[in-house]
Amino acid sequence: MVRMRKAVDVRHVSKEINGVKVLDKVSLKVERDERVVICGPSGSGKTTLIRCLNGLSTFSTGSVTVLGVRLTDDPLSIRHIREKTGMCFQNFNLFPHLTILENCTLALHHVRKISGLKAIEMAQHYLERVKIIDQADKYPVTLSGGQQQRAAIARALCMEPELMLFDEPTSALDPEMVSEVLAVLSDIAKSGMTMICVTHEMRFARKFADKIVMLDEGKVVINTDTQDFFKTTDNPRVKSFLRLLDKR
Amino acid sequence: MAIHQSIVRTRNTIHSCFDTRLNTLITLSWLIVLVFLFVPMVRWSIIDSVWSGSITECTPRGACWVYVRENARHLLYGLYPADQAWRVDALVIAISAQLLILWQVRLSVIRLAVGALLVIGMPVISYFISYGGLFGLTIVPAQYWGGLLFNLLFSALSISNAFVIGLLCALIRQKKWGIYSGLIKLYIDLIRGLPLVSLLFFATLVLPYFFFDAKQSVKIIRLYWIFTFFGAAYMAEAIRGGLQSITSGQYEAAAVLGLSEYQAMMYIIMPQALEIAYPSIMNLVIALLKDSTLLSTVAVLDIVGMMQATSARVEWMPYAVEGYLMIGFVFWVLCYGLSRISDRVERQIKVFR
């Protein structure tokens, strides 16, 4: 029964900031074990949408249900959702005063109450998976952007979430570091994790996404299977967006 | 290699002092000023000075360090009875040990326990051990307390308390808890707008009309809390500066990992904010340590008050200058030591920034 529930169910969510509609009646369904890529031009509301899923941003109307928990003003509902959801940011947001390993073990200690050695083993397991186990005792500032983002992914995976949210994980990276982060993302995608990823990397989307959602000016322009998305050349907005990306 | 480099650097420096006619002129005039300033100073304070023996050997030509020697006990302990001085020594040792533990030990449980003891327990314990009356200790009223060790104990405890109060004030202001944040802002602006001396006089002369009587032992408590709240206002601003430089991304990263607001503050935000605020906090510690000598203006026999009291005796009267110089030297050593320590900690912090 539980497995049948949708991972994410967003219904008619709207959000307005100073009279500008950031999100305009957005609806989105994500099944379990599904990988969804959200794309769209900048300012289209992609980041706001993904931040609404775990309560980092608020919305004015509509409803959001994540992993069977309805998101309300009640801090308890937000906590339930965050316990089962991991998130990675554009700017990594590693904790600069802690080593990479400590970044990973901190929440294990204090949230999941896993003690010393066990927590370190878990952290090492995930650091190995993102291939930066040799950097475990360094401080974030000494790492490259790509390594930092992989550390941030390991930190999120340590919590063993059921759903992973990625908010433009490669946008702040130098081009030569994008591929190493995408390799990690692909690895996670292959493992069957439910993923929602805001990204401009359409090649990654084509290969690993089950579904592609395109936003523009706060509205869902297109919400379709990956194959259909790249075939839908008749949609002028998709066409212009893809052309824009090709130019980069 | 390093020696060679420093020789080269010295040679270059010397060369650059005389490389043009103007530079030679500037260098020579500085040398003349130095000679005129320092030669008499060194002669007075070292060559012609009297270090030992009796006061009768002192001449007006040189410094009379005998004065400092003869009064050393008073300048250290104030008028605290000699047979009871071990109580002050014990307090100095206990508080130094606690500060050392807080500085060096990394284990958070021990730090928390020692910190709580220092901030909540030690002011009370110190008061009762100094005052006596308990456990068969002789009563030593506060007008006998004083000297350098009083300055050190008073400022160490007061600064520790001010740090905690300042931390709480900074947090409340940061959280924007309506009226409480407003009240804290009012308190900080009020304290920052008043000179410390006026606050000390307020505690000595005005407060007794409202609460507590004018007894010296209670006066010390009033002065302690005024001094503490004075420091706390500045601490709050220093720490708030650190808090404001933490980006929202850090709060968000902590939140999505499931850390509670308290845990995020405790393990993520505060450690970083305090590291950033560290230089200004140390600056404040040094300033407050020096400010503790202002207690002499309200008839507390701290090191300055004690010095003034001893030099009021006829035979010591000509030698007050030696006393002031000695105090200046002692405080310079203390503050220089503190700033060396703070430099070292700052360098450690830079490693991961």
Side-chain angles (χ1 to χ4, degrees), chain A residues 186-203:
Chain A
S186 313
D187 176 51
I188 299 168
K190 274 187 238 159
S191 76
M193 169 82 73
T194 316
M195 281 166 71
I196 301 176
C197 188
V198 173
T199 187
H200 293 298
E201 300 295 333
M202 295 319 285
R203 250 173 307 166

Side-chain angles (χ1 to χ4, degrees), chain A residues 51 94-95 97 106 110 139, chain B residues 250 252 263 267-268 352:
Chain A
R51 285 165 61 92
L94 288 172
F95 306 131
H97 62 304
L106 183 90
H110 296 296
Y139 285 97
Chain B
Q250 293 289 311
E252 287 172 1
Q263 287 171 328
Y267 304 115
I268 312 282
F352 44 84

Side-chain angles (χ1 to χ4, degrees), chain A residues 20-106:
Chain A
V20 180
K21 285 205 165 168
V22 186
L23 292 177
D24 191 0
K25 293 201 185 102
V26 171
S27 293
L28 171 68
K29 284 184 181 58
V30 178
E31 304 293 333
R32 282 190 189 254
D33 304 335
E34 201 173 32
R35 281 152 292 280
V36 175
V37 161
I38 303 177
C39 60
S42 61
S44 59
K46 320 178 287 284
T47 293
T48 311
L49 176 61
I50 202 170
R51 285 165 61 92
C52 281
L53 299 183
N54 61 0
L56 284 184
S57 289
T58 54
F59 48 90
S60 20
T61 56
S63 81
V64 170
T65 311
V66 177
L67 300 165
V69 181
R70 170 94 184 258
L71 191 67
T72 59
D73 289 337
D74 182 8
L76 210 63
S77 74
I78 298 178
R79 237 181 81 190
H80 275 306
I81 290 173
R82 284 178 185 166
E83 268 170 21
K84 295 188 268 183
T85 314
M87 186 171 192
C88 290
F89 301 90
Q90 187 175 357
N91 301 316
F92 334 129
N93 291 338
L94 288 172
F95 306 131
H97 62 304
L98 301 175
T99 62
I100 299 301
L101 188 71
E102 288 166 340
N103 262 279
C104 294
T105 53
L106 183 90

Side-chain angles (χ1 to χ4, degrees), chain B residues 46-250:
Chain B
I46 296 168
I47 299 170
D48 287 342
S49 64
V50 180
W51 292 80
S52 55
S54 83
I55 188 175
T56 48
E57 291 166 38
C58 287
T59 59
R61 283 191 302 120
C64 182
W65 300 118
V66 180
Y67 162 73
V68 175
R69 252 174 99 103
E70 294 277 303
N71 291 295
R73 215 194 66 78
H74 281 149
L75 293 172
L76 263 182
Y77 292 95
L79 298 176
Y80 215 85
D83 59 333
Q84 297 295 321
W86 60 269
R87 280 150 64 174
V88 180
D89 296 339
L91 285 176
V92 170
I93 291 168
I95 290 173
S96 314
Q98 289 171 26
L99 289 173
L100 203 68
I101 290 172
L102 285 178
W103 182 31
Q104 290 295 338
V105 177
R106 287 270 148 255
L107 209 59
S108 56
V109 187
I110 295 177
R111 286 174 71 122
L112 212 64
V114 173
L117 175 67
L118 178 66
V119 169
I120 302 165
M122 279 324 272
V124 182
I125 294 171
S126 303
Y127 180 80
F128 281 110
I129 287 188
S130 312
Y131 187 75
L134 296 168
F135 315 115
L137 292 173
T138 354
I139 288 181
V140 183
Q143 56 264 42
Y144 295 99
W145 306 358
L148 177 65
L149 295 182
F150 175 81
N151 284 81
L152 293 182
L153 286 176
F154 187 93
S155 41
L157 289 173
S158 180
I159 291 168
S160 311
N161 264 353
F163 175 74
V164 173
I165 296 170
L167 193 74
L168 292 176
C169 288
L171 277 178
I172 294 171
R173 270 201 79 181
Q174 180 82 1
K175 294 286 293 175
K176 305 207 165 52
W177 276 340
I179 183 141
Y180 297 106
S181 304
L183 285 175
I184 300 265
K185 187 167 163 25
L186 189 71
Y187 148 69
I188 290 171
D189 287 344
L190 192 70
I191 295 275
R192 289 206 300 183
L194 290 168
L196 178 56
V197 176
S198 73
L199 286 170
L200 294 179
F201 274 101
F202 177 78
T204 319
L205 303 171
V206 185
L207 273 185
Y209 285 112
F210 312 129
F211 12 62
F212 313 130
D213 53 22
K215 272 200 312 207
Q216 182 87 3
S217 304
V218 184
K219 179 177 125 185
I220 290 290
I221 299 178
R222 284 196 305 266
L223 287 173
Y224 180 82
W225 285 111
I226 283 281
F227 197 84
T228 301
F229 276 102
F230 175 81
Y234 287 90
M235 281 287 182
E237 286 301 281
I239 295 169
R240 197 170 66 95
L243 278 173
Q244 278 181 335
S245 60
I246 308 293
T247 57
S248 61
Q250 293 289 311

Side-chain angles (χ1 to χ4, degrees), chain B residues 274-286:
Chain B
L274 289 181
E275 271 162 15
I276 293 165
Y278 186 81
S280 27
I281 292 175
M282 267 328 258
N283 186 24
L284 201 49
V285 169
I286 290 171

